[in-house]
Amino acid sequence: MSEGRWHGRLTARPLPDGPIDAPLSDDDRALVVQAWLGRSAAERRAGDSFLVIRDALLARHEPTPLVELATRAIDDEHRHAEICRVVASRYAGRELSAPGELTLSVPLHEGAAPELRHSLHVIGQCALNETAASAFLEACLGRAEVSLVRAALRELLSDEIDHARIGWAHLAAANVEHKRALAPWLPKLVRGYEQEWSRSFRAAAAEGPLGARRPRGT
Ligand SMILES: [Fe+2]
Ligand SMILES: [Fe+2]
């Protein structure tokens, strides 16, 4: 059983202590708590996704270091879920339970032969989703001011970059024949992830910036 990246510890360095004294209204604070709890649930689901990725890499006879990185990623995502729960708790000012588990729905890639389906899982989750997640976290880090939030984002980002590398390494190592077979599937795959990310950005934008939102129930 793997001890994970930090040998059983949650983070590389302890997260900063102390109360969060960001000037937030009660409504905004509740929204921040919900955002981090939602992130926690999504990270937990990403752990399930890496079970699929590990098995896909094994099925494709990928080298051991890549399979080990995907195995580590399962633990990484569980740590991320806990980091996000800790941040939510600190904003809430009390210890919160882990959110309910989200169910993973694995893309079907209907019509793709099994060896292509395995690669499409790896490319979709790692090369596309984790690369987009890394860019998103980097942008968040660029704007974050609270030391706990900056530390949490840094922890997540350092792992997501490795998770993205799994996808690019898999793609780089594929032979020409496999790459040719994958090519027709890629535009739809890219569009799917682009739409998913755009949808979540639109939903966040519709909420408006903190402090400018209408009180709940209005
Ligand atoms: Fe993560
Ligand atoms: Fe990840």
Side-chain angles (χ1 to χ4, degrees), residues 50 77 80 130 160 163:
F50 271 99
E77 302 296 7
H80 296 178
E130 296 280 346
E160 312 301 22
H163 302 171

Side-chain angles (χ1 to χ4, degrees), residues 21-218:
D21 49 6
L24 289 172
S25 68
D26 287 349
D27 271 352
D28 283 348
R29 187 171 292 272
L31 280 167
V32 173
V33 169
Q34 280 314 310
W36 280 98
L37 280 182
R39 193 65 253 149
S40 174
E43 298 285 352
R44 173 70 184 68
R45 182 177 54 189
D48 292 343
S49 181
F50 271 99
L51 286 165
V52 177
I53 300 305
R54 181 201 58 194
D55 292 348
L57 293 171
L58 284 168
R60 292 289 304 151
H61 307 291
E62 284 289 359
T64 304
L66 215 54
V67 175
E68 284 177 349
L69 190 49
T71 307
R72 193 200 90 191
I74 301 166
D75 179 77
D76 290 342
E77 302 296 7
H78 289 172
R79 289 189 301 100
H80 296 178
E82 176 60 7
I83 290 169
C84 295
R85 186 200 65 78
V86 167
V87 177
S89 298
R90 293 280 294 282
Y91 270 99
R94 64 189 172 88
E95 207 57 31
L96 299 173
S97 304
E101 289 187 12
L102 298 173
T103 306
L104 174 71
S105 62
V106 180
L108 295 174
H109 305 304
E110 278 178 58
E115 69 271 18
L116 285 184
R117 225 172 28 241
H118 293 316
S119 285
L120 290 169
H121 288 329
V122 176
I123 295 166
Q125 171 63 29
C126 301
L128 300 182
N129 203 37
E130 296 280 346
T131 300
S134 299
F136 174 68
L137 288 169
E138 207 173 346
C140 292
L141 189 54
R143 302 192 66 173
E145 291 172 5
V146 173
S147 60
L148 173 66
V149 170
R150 290 185 60 78
L153 291 172
R154 259 192 236 107
E155 292 283 345
L156 268 56
L157 179 58
S158 77
D159 291 325
E160 312 301 22
I161 289 170
D162 282 345
H163 302 171
R165 284 181 178 140
I166 296 171
W168 298 113
H170 174 69
L171 200 49
N175 63 32
V176 174
E177 200 178 68
H178 192 61
K179 280 179 183 161
R180 282 209 183 106
L182 281 170
W185 295 86
L186 298 184
K188 189 177 170 202
L189 191 68
V190 171
R191 255 196 320 275
Y193 279 97
E194 192 268 331
Q195 282 167 358
E196 207 173 298
W197 277 91
S198 298
R199 224 183 350 258
S200 58
F201 286 137
R202 272 200 302 275
E207 292 268 351
L210 287 178
R213 292 176 172 140
R214 289 178 302 165
R216 286 192 198 166
T218 63

